[in-house]
Amino acid sequence: MDAFELLAHPVRLRVVHAMRGGRELTTADLCDRIRDVSKATVYRHVELLAAGGVLEVALERRVRGAVERRYRLRRDRAAINTDMASSLSLDDHRGAFAAALAVLTAEFSAYLDRDTADPVGDMVGYRQHAVWLSPGELHGMIDGMREAIAPHLANQPSPDRTQYLISPILFPVEAPPTETGTDNTTTGSPSPGPSS
């Protein structure tokens, strides 16, 4: 299974998200984190990620006669890079997008199912904006988002940090018009928190 196939699956993506921040987790820890997926399914997908080199064994120890493995994420293998993305077919992109949306839906539902869920207090955001951008403006916006997010990717878990799922989704919805329009409306569901 190639890197794209490994990462373009909702359960495996959720495992990758759970492992971010330098965590070292057992498969049992992951089952506790991803409770809406059966343990057998989590175990199977952890094995696939380990076999594919996305996860590596950080520690092994014997527990009641069985070997318990703590895994860590190999960040260099846990993303679809530009070269890989450029080699994908349109159907591959469609499948990867569907997997990403499935992850967002599952993770948001799991969040809302918690007794402590507080969308306003947690500053949850799910706004959508339709904006007109020139190629230069698009690159500038993407660079700005990277500059805002990248310094936080290496943050480690700590008592004062909550893990947030940030999922920038960007694609053109309309070709450039032949004449300039003046409609700058925002579309999508209102968000109780700031834009995401």
Side-chain angles (χ1 to χ4, degrees):
M1 189 177 297
D2 66 24
F4 170 72
E5 289 178 292
L6 277 172
L7 296 173
H9 188 281
V11 174
R12 292 192 288 272
L13 272 177
R14 292 179 73 189
V15 169
V16 167
H17 291 326
M19 299 295 295
R20 296 260 184 219
R23 285 177 149 174
E24 294 182 359
L25 301 174
T26 66
T27 309
D29 294 332
L30 289 164
C31 288
D32 192 47
R33 168 72 171 76
I34 309 171
R35 294 181 183 189
D36 56 307
V37 176
S38 74
K39 289 183 180 183
T41 299
V42 174
Y43 272 83
R44 184 172 71 250
H45 288 295
V46 167
E47 287 175 17
L48 287 169
L49 288 168
V54 175
L55 298 180
E56 64 185 2
V57 177
L59 178 70
E60 284 186 341
R61 66 182 184 125
R62 285 229 170 259
V63 177
R64 294 185 291 278
V67 176
E68 178 187 77
R69 291 181 181 91
R70 287 198 162 277
Y71 294 97
R72 69 176 155 239
L73 189 64
R74 288 192 51 196
R75 291 181 58 201
D76 61 319
R77 303 279 314 229
I80 296 173
N81 62 31
T82 304
D83 290 338
M84 187 187 308
S86 65
S87 72
L88 301 178
S89 71
L90 294 179
D91 280 340
D92 289 336
H93 283 282
R94 186 175 283 114
F97 189 78
L101 290 180
V103 168
L104 286 174
T105 301
E107 290 287 1
F108 193 63
S109 293
Y111 161 73
L112 292 175
D113 288 341
R114 287 189 224 135
D115 293 337
T116 57
D118 179 6
V120 174
D122 292 333
M123 299 182 70
V124 170
Y126 44 83
R127 286 187 180 153
Q128 295 178 345
H129 304 279
V131 295
W132 293 96
L133 301 167
S134 69
E137 290 167 334
L138 174 62
H139 286 285
M141 188 181 73
I142 290 170
D143 289 344
M145 289 191 297
R146 284 185 180 139
E147 288 174 17
I149 295 169
H152 305 288
L153 293 177
N155 285 358
Q156 302 292 312
S158 68
D160 65 331
R161 285 188 176 134
T162 299
Q163 188 182 41
Y164 281 80
L165 184 57
I166 300 170
S167 189
I169 297 172
L170 176 72
F171 58 91
V173 293
E174 189 175 337
T178 54
E179 294 181 24
T180 304
T182 58
D183 184 7
N184 291 326
T185 58
T186 299
T187 61
S189 300
S191 168
S195 316
S196 55

